Structures are given as C-alpha cells and as structure tokens.
Amino acid sequence: MITTALTELLRIRVPVVQGGMQWVGKPPLVAAVSNAGGLGILTALTQPNPDALRVAIRETKVATDKPFGVNITLLPSINPPDYEGYARVAVEEGVRIFETAGNNPGKLINFFKSHGCIVIHKCTTIRHAKSAERMGVDVLSIDGFECAGHPGEEDIGGLVLLARAAQELKIPYIASGGFADGRGLTSAIALGAAGVNMGTRFMCTVESPIHQRIKEKIIASTEQDTIHILRSLNNTARVFKNGVSKQVVALERRPGGAEFADLRDLVSGVRGKVVYEIGDPEYGIWSAGIAMGLIKDIPTCDVLLRRIEKEAEEIIDGMRKQIKPMAKL
C-alpha cells in the first residue's frame, strides 16, 4: 500500500483521483473508482441542473459507501450555469470533497470551506496554484501540458511543472496530464506529488459510460492522435485529432484568424456528447490526452487500480534494490 498525504486526507487506499470529465463523470464510473480504492468525481455540469445533480449524488451513494467528490468547473460564458445552486445541492446531500477549476473560484472555495469541505483546485501554472493556496484550498491539482481538456497557455510539461510545484507550494498537490499506469504514479511521487489525476485512462474502463467504439478508438490511438484547438482565442483545449478538430485548426490558421462565432457549431459540447453516445469518433470534438499512447486494454476500475498499485510498489522496490549504498571510506 502506498500512503501519501492524499490517501490520508481523503481516506482512500490508492492515491489516484478520477478526472471530473464532462459527460463521463457519472454515477456508475464514480462509484466504481471509489469502490476500487481511488477517488471518484461526479461532474456537476454533466447534469442539466442542480436538482439532477442531487439525483446523481444519491444514485452514487447507493452504489458506494466510499468517499467521492463533485467537480464544478467555472466556464467562460455569457450565460453561466447556476454554480451556486450546484454547490449548495452537493453540500446539502453531504458531499464533503470538491474539485474546482476555472477562473475566479474564490467565492466557491469560501462556500465549501465554510461548510468544512475539502477542496482540490486544478491549476496549469504555479502562480495560479499559489493564489489558490492563499485562498485556503487543501490540495492542488497541477495540470501539465500533456493533459486532455484545457492545459493553459504556457505549454509547460509536467516534468518541470511538478518539480516547480515542489519548490513553491506548501500544501499537497497531485499530478495531472499523461498518467495512466504505475510507472506514472511512481514518477509523480518522485516529483513531490501526493498522487495523480487520471481522465483519459478512466474513459477506457468497463464502467465508463461512453460507447464501446470510443474506448476501442482510444486503444487503437497513440500519443500523436491529439490536437490543440482554440489556441488563437487563448482558450486552448487538447482534443482527439479528427476531421472536426482539424477543421477548427484550419479556420484558426487562415488569414485574419477566426472568431468564436466561426467555430461555435464545430466545437459544440452537444456534438461531443453525441460522440460518446453513438460511438462515432468523427462526429464532433471530444477530449483526449496523450496518455492514449499508454492505454492498451479496457479493464474494470478495480483491476486497473490494483494493477497501478502493484506496478508502483514493484517499481519503488526495484529502485531501492538498484541504488546501492555507498561503501564507507
């Protein structure tokens, strides 16, 4: 068993957090991850409204008696969702672990902390991590350039970003972006992290609610099969490389660039949802990280986490044997 600040704080066996993925972080997957010893995360905005989130929380509680959390991501929007409503419902339902992400999370963080909750905040830069640390979050999720979704605009890979976190941060942090196995977990711990966040790897599990053909597409893909979109709009997202995402990039690169209005229909989240429902990887934009290159099967969450735990323990033990103590002079 690998014990870290994360496992002790969250009361989980394996220092692995399931990413709060839109359209994927639903009760069956969340409960499976938590039952397997990690931390499952319900994605609040996957639910159409706070009342639907209440139902999802209750459904998850029926399926697991282990800790799980709720993700609330603050999105740039003219008509923002009812973030306060989602937060209030989750607290009312007894959720005490939250993952926050996005800009200006102070109000949400204050609300959760006032109710004695544990807050994990996702950051892509050290300066944002230090700001969240000052706000009183308990754990930081440091997202490197390798991650699916939004990696920020500074293109700093996890190797340096995590080492910088070790230099600068005073609270525990977890590593996100490119993690899929025990070797990744071991490397994150060596860089000072208390665990890892995995998204793409959990998409490709038995309990993941996405279509089987998408899971098979992930297995057939490599680390070269993602692409960045919306870079010209300073809202970079790493997604699966398909005809739609390549069309978005082509529009961004044309003379004069592109306005969001030119791209709205192509990047529609509704089309991404349909990808997962019908199993057509070309139908729309869908998030995927370069961890695809490491994924070779579709295990249950229990098999996956036990394998990661065993691999990490074996690697750590092997390193101990490799490093010979210096002979006394």
Side-chain angles (χ1 to χ4, degrees):
M1 182 179 293
I2 298 173
T3 301
T4 71
L6 186 75
T7 60
E8 292 179 338
L9 178 66
L10 303 182
R11 296 182 292 112
I12 58 178
R13 193 189 81 250
V14 188
V16 174
V17 176
Q18 166 237 314
M21 299 168 282
Q22 183 74 330
W23 316 126
V24 182
K26 296 181 179 181
L29 176 61
V30 174
V33 173
S34 290
N35 284 334
L39 183 74
I41 298 281
L42 273 175
T43 311
L45 299 188
T46 289
Q47 305 302 324
N49 53 58
D51 287 337
L53 176 61
R54 189 187 302 276
V55 172
I57 291 170
R58 293 179 178 180
E59 183 180 338
T60 306
K61 285 186 171 182
V62 169
T64 184
D65 60 357
K66 301 293 192 298
F68 67 90
V70 168
N71 165 282
I72 300 182
T73 298
L74 301 166
L75 303 171
S77 174
I78 297 174
N79 299 304
D82 183 7
Y83 297 120
E84 293 181 14
Y86 283 109
R88 183 179 63 255
V89 159
V91 170
E92 288 173 356
E93 289 300 313
V95 176
R96 289 297 178 267
I97 303 172
F98 289 89
E99 179 186 68
T100 57
N103 294 326
N104 301 316
K107 192 173 181 180
L108 271 184
I109 291 169
N110 290 338
F111 174 75
F112 292 138
K113 295 308 296 179
S114 72
H115 287 82
C117 300
I118 295 169
V119 179
I120 304 168
H121 185 67
K122 295 176 72 68
C123 303
T124 60
T125 68
I126 299 302
R127 68 178 183 279
H128 290 145
K130 293 178 74 172
S131 175
E133 187 177 52
R134 290 191 294 271
M135 290 179 195
V137 305
D138 301 277
V139 180
L140 290 155
S141 179
I142 306 298
D143 286 22
F145 185 60
E146 302 87 346
C147 72
H150 296 281
E153 308 303 318
E154 298 190 2
D155 298 0
I156 307 297
L159 188 64
V160 169
L161 196 59
L162 295 170
R164 288 283 293 119
Q167 292 178 336
E168 297 284 347
L169 303 179
K170 298 179 177 64
I171 62 174
Y173 60 93
I174 59 177
S176 180
F179 296 98
D181 55 20
R183 189 169 299 280
L185 174 58
T186 306
S187 68
I189 291 172
L191 285 163
V196 297
N197 178 297
M198 299 195 314
T200 306
R201 174 64 271 197
F202 279 122
M203 288 172 66
C204 205
T205 57
V206 170
E207 296 90 352
S208 168
I210 68 177
H211 199 285
Q212 181 71 11
R213 284 200 295 269
I214 301 302
K215 298 177 187 181
E216 292 169 357
K217 188 66 175 178
I218 290 172
I219 291 173
S221 300
T222 75
E223 64 275 15
Q224 296 178 318
D225 291 316
T226 72
I227 192 171
H228 283 119
I229 61 171
L230 306 181
R231 301 220 76 176
S232 64
L233 303 180
N234 293 318
N235 189 29
T236 301
R238 186 187 293 278
V239 300
F240 186 78
K241 186 189 293 182
N242 60 14
V244 181
S245 58
K246 286 189 283 188
Q247 186 179 352
V248 171
V249 171
L251 288 172
E252 290 188 79
R253 290 177 177 172
R254 68 186 179 182
E259 301 293 333
F260 182 72
D262 303 323
L263 310 174
R264 182 183 291 113
D265 292 341
L266 292 171
V267 302
S268 164
V270 174
R271 287 180 65 168
K273 180 182 179 183
V274 173
V275 167
Y276 296 146
E277 293 172 345
I278 68 174
D280 180 1
E282 293 292 326
Y283 186 83
I285 297 292
W286 53 284
S287 290
I290 62 173
M292 283 195 301
L294 302 171
I295 298 171
K296 308 300 179 187
D297 62 356
I298 308 172
T300 64
C301 290
D302 185 67
V303 166
L304 175 62
L305 286 188
R306 290 187 185 280
R307 184 168 72 200
I308 287 174
E309 186 178 30
K310 183 173 183 289
E311 286 175 353
E313 289 171 346
E314 289 175 349
I315 291 167
I316 291 169
D317 185 57
M319 289 192 297
R320 288 195 187 104
K321 293 175 180 177
Q322 278 185 337
I323 301 172
K324 304 288 193 296
M326 289 182 64
K328 291 183 179 180
L329 296 177

